[in-house]
Amino acid sequence: MKIQLYNTLSKSIESFSPLNEQVGMYSCGPTVYNYVHIGNLRSFLFADTMQRVLKTVGNYDVRWVMNITDIDDKTIRDSAIGSPTWNPLIGEQTNDVHKNLSMLTEFYTSEFLRDIADIGIDTTQIHSMPRATKFIPQMQELITKIYENGFAYIADGSVYFNVEKWQDHAHYGQLFTIDKTEFKKGVRIDADEYEREHVSDFVLWKAKKDNEPSWEYHLDGQILDGRPGWHIECSAMEYELLGLPFDIHTGGLDLRFPHHEDEIAQSKAGYGIDPTVFWCHNEFLLVEGKKMSKSLGNFFTLRDLVQKGYDPNDVRFYMISAHYRSLFNFTFEALDASVKGRIRIQEFIDTLLETTSFKENATIEDINELETKMMVAFANDLHVPKALSTLFIFINNFDFLSLTLQRQQLLLQLFSKLNAIFSVFRLEKLEKPVDEIPEEIKELAAQRDKAKRNKDYALADSLRATILERGYTINDASDGYILVKNGK
RNA sequence: GGUUCCGUAGUCUAGUGGUUAGGCAGAGCUCUGCAAAAGCUCCUACGUCGGUUCGAUUCCGUCCGGAACCUCCA
């Protein structure tokens, strides 16, 4: 099925056609200086959903690359000798700044991988996760090209991209309308002490500072040891791992400027090619209506939620059930509601799995229609909420009395396909848990049943209360009763 | 100040120039000694004020409110 995607470049939904057999997709990954929070996770869930829809609905083969930023201001700051934020779990700090940097970033990279696996991102589908520090020569090569093409200059040992000059040559501001004369008054002009010709210029290569990791670099006969700027890493790694142009570039909305705008400028100024065809950005996440921040106490990592007793699967289902381009308000009330919604679908699947008696001669048109509608929704700019709503309507109107073996098989096939995107449903019969109800509880339940039959309701109710206190619930049925653990 | 997005029932999320949404919560009914569970039913909204139109929640404008970005935040 043809997929439609919103492209930030055109600010409209466009029909997607891959450039080559294999769809090339690049996602801006994390800066590994701390645990990722749920806002970061939204961005990666979006990229994963994109990849899953391309594969499941579009039938494409996808080559997905997600970078790991392991060199930048924050990783340097937090790995610096004597850093107050050094996590003891990483190990002992050394006197080697390079070693400390890699200890810090390797630690948080593996924690990141654990988190995204926990939340159901299919890490097996990530073709590669390049570390910025492993591509320094390629970045230097690109910077040299940009310099030789006349769009960069050296100042104070750093290399800057000359935006002014680039603007005479190409459109700068494709992803974000920029009016330099209207920059907010009082906005920070330059946090660095570097010399830039213009405020709008951005750094490609930063001069070496004492006690910071640095790499050798020679340009135009000058020794410019230092480290890469932030934007250059993506441009260089995309070129190396996907080739330009590739099909889709994903990232958070905040990255469209300056990060992605600068990526475009760099690739075009250096390689002479646009990086990608589709720029796709996800909206942000709020928590209880506010921007997530540590000072507001509404800052959460996946681990925090797990600690509160939430299943990562439920967090996943909740977060992907909102459209990626809408501002997502994360609330615990809505998360709880979403858990119940997920369980309803699961219960439908369970009933489907358990049904063994069938009718004959029933139509399958409604199932085909459900499938088509859901796939159309996914294909329409990954419209998960629309797809879900369609599914709920179907489930609500479904009559199990109409189930035939063929209908059962079709539905299970459909759920299997849906799970290639949702990845939160269980599609095998649940092994009946071994009888874990203690004998004494069973005994109490038997006594209560006897009391009830004798119409001694006072005794029956008090026994039921006792059982409830000990963690079990009696559900009466027409012929007997069922004992379950509380909350099940 | 500039750029952009948003405002949908108690709540969260869709959508549309005309038959009225989906989830959760809530209410009622059936069942039940009473509950629980389950099933059925109900709760019909689009921030304000104008304009266009036979008809506007939808298109246009105004205002009010919220959010983001404006040089290294996903």
Side-chain angles (χ1 to χ4, degrees), chain A residues 141-179:
Chain A
E141 212 172 286
L142 173 57
I143 295 168
T144 302
K145 277 185 181 145
I146 296 171
Y147 182 84
E148 286 171 352
N149 290 340
F151 297 110
Y153 58 90
I154 302 170
D156 245 12
S158 294
V159 185
Y160 292 93
F161 190 94
N162 192 334
V163 172
E164 193 90 348
K165 193 161 176 195
W166 178 245
Q167 278 178 317
D168 295 337
H169 192 267
H171 179 42
Y172 182 77
Q174 296 185 54
L175 295 171
F176 191 83
T177 313
I178 296 155
D179 184 347

Side-chain angles (χ1 to χ4, degrees), chain A residues 32-46:
Chain A
V32 281
Y33 68 104
N34 210 331
Y35 299 103
V36 289
H37 54 69
I38 53 176
N40 300 128
L41 285 175
R42 184 175 198 207
S43 168
F44 306 125
L45 278 170
F46 156 57

Side-chain angles (χ1 to χ4, degrees), chain A residues 11-121:
Chain A
K11 288 185 186 161
S12 60
I13 291 178
E14 298 175 19
S15 196
F16 175 77
S17 308
L19 298 164
N20 305 300
E21 286 271 304
Q22 196 178 37
V23 174
M25 176 166 128
Y26 185 93
S27 302
C28 276
T31 303
V32 281
Y33 68 104
N34 210 331
Y35 299 103
V36 289
H37 54 69
I38 53 176
N40 300 128
L41 285 175
R42 184 175 198 207
S43 168
F44 306 125
L45 278 170
F46 156 57
D48 182 53
T49 305
M50 173 78 83
Q51 173 266 127
R52 287 170 182 269
V53 167
L54 286 168
K55 214 169 297 173
T56 308
V57 182
N59 247 319
Y60 298 117
D61 184 23
V62 182
R63 184 184 176 99
W64 183 22
V65 174
M66 182 191 285
N67 72 300
I68 300 284
T69 300
D70 61 353
I71 171 78
D72 83 317
D73 289 340
K74 291 186 288 290
T75 49
I76 289 172
R77 180 194 67 202
D78 292 354
S79 65
I81 294 168
S83 162
T85 54
W86 184 268
N87 183 340
L89 291 174
I90 303 170
E92 279 289 309
Q93 258 197 327
T94 71
N95 286 321
D96 180 341
V97 289
H98 272 276
K99 174 93 170 126
N100 290 342
L101 179 71
S102 78
M103 281 172 78
L104 176 96
T105 57
E106 273 170 30
F107 175 80
Y108 285 115
T109 299
S110 64
E111 296 298 294
F112 168 71
L113 290 173
R114 210 183 95 191
D115 281 336
I116 61 171
D118 282 351
I119 205 159
I121 288 171

Side-chain angles (χ1 to χ4, degrees), chain A residues 380-396:
Chain A
N380 177 20
D381 199 29
L382 321 185
H383 214 317
V384 180
K386 181 82 180 175
L388 269 180
S389 148
T390 309
L391 179 61
F392 275 115
I393 291 170
F394 180 87
I395 288 178
N396 286 341

